[in-house]
Amino acid sequence: NQQLIMSDPAIMMGKPVITGTRLTVESILDRFAAGETIDHLLEAHPRLTREAIFAAFAFAANHFDLMLSILL
């Protein structure tokens, strides 16, 4: 899943994005939290895949766990 997420300082100021797009993991999470469905995200972004959305969720979860371990 990690190959579906990349970070490059030249793209979106280095924020993690879906590979081959300018869609940040943050924007995927924000849209999902705002009530958009996976199907709506897929319709709105033709280059986006279901697998990439789940990779974004996994990336965020892994980084959240890392942040908690550092803070605790």
Side-chain angles (χ1 to χ4, degrees), residues 39-59:
D39 288 335
H40 184 262
L41 288 170
L42 293 171
E43 288 173 20
H45 304 281
R47 296 183 69 195
L48 189 60
T49 65
R50 188 173 301 273
E51 183 181 19
I53 292 172
F54 286 114
F57 293 157
F59 181 90

Side-chain angles (χ1 to χ4, degrees), residues 12-38:
M12 302 303 290
M13 298 180 357
K15 291 183 177 184
V17 297
I18 304 296
T19 301
T21 76
R22 296 179 68 79
L23 288 169
T24 64
V25 169
E26 178 183 15
S27 70
I28 297 291
L29 296 174
D30 286 344
R31 291 170 187 202
F32 195 72
E36 287 193 38
T37 65
I38 290 174

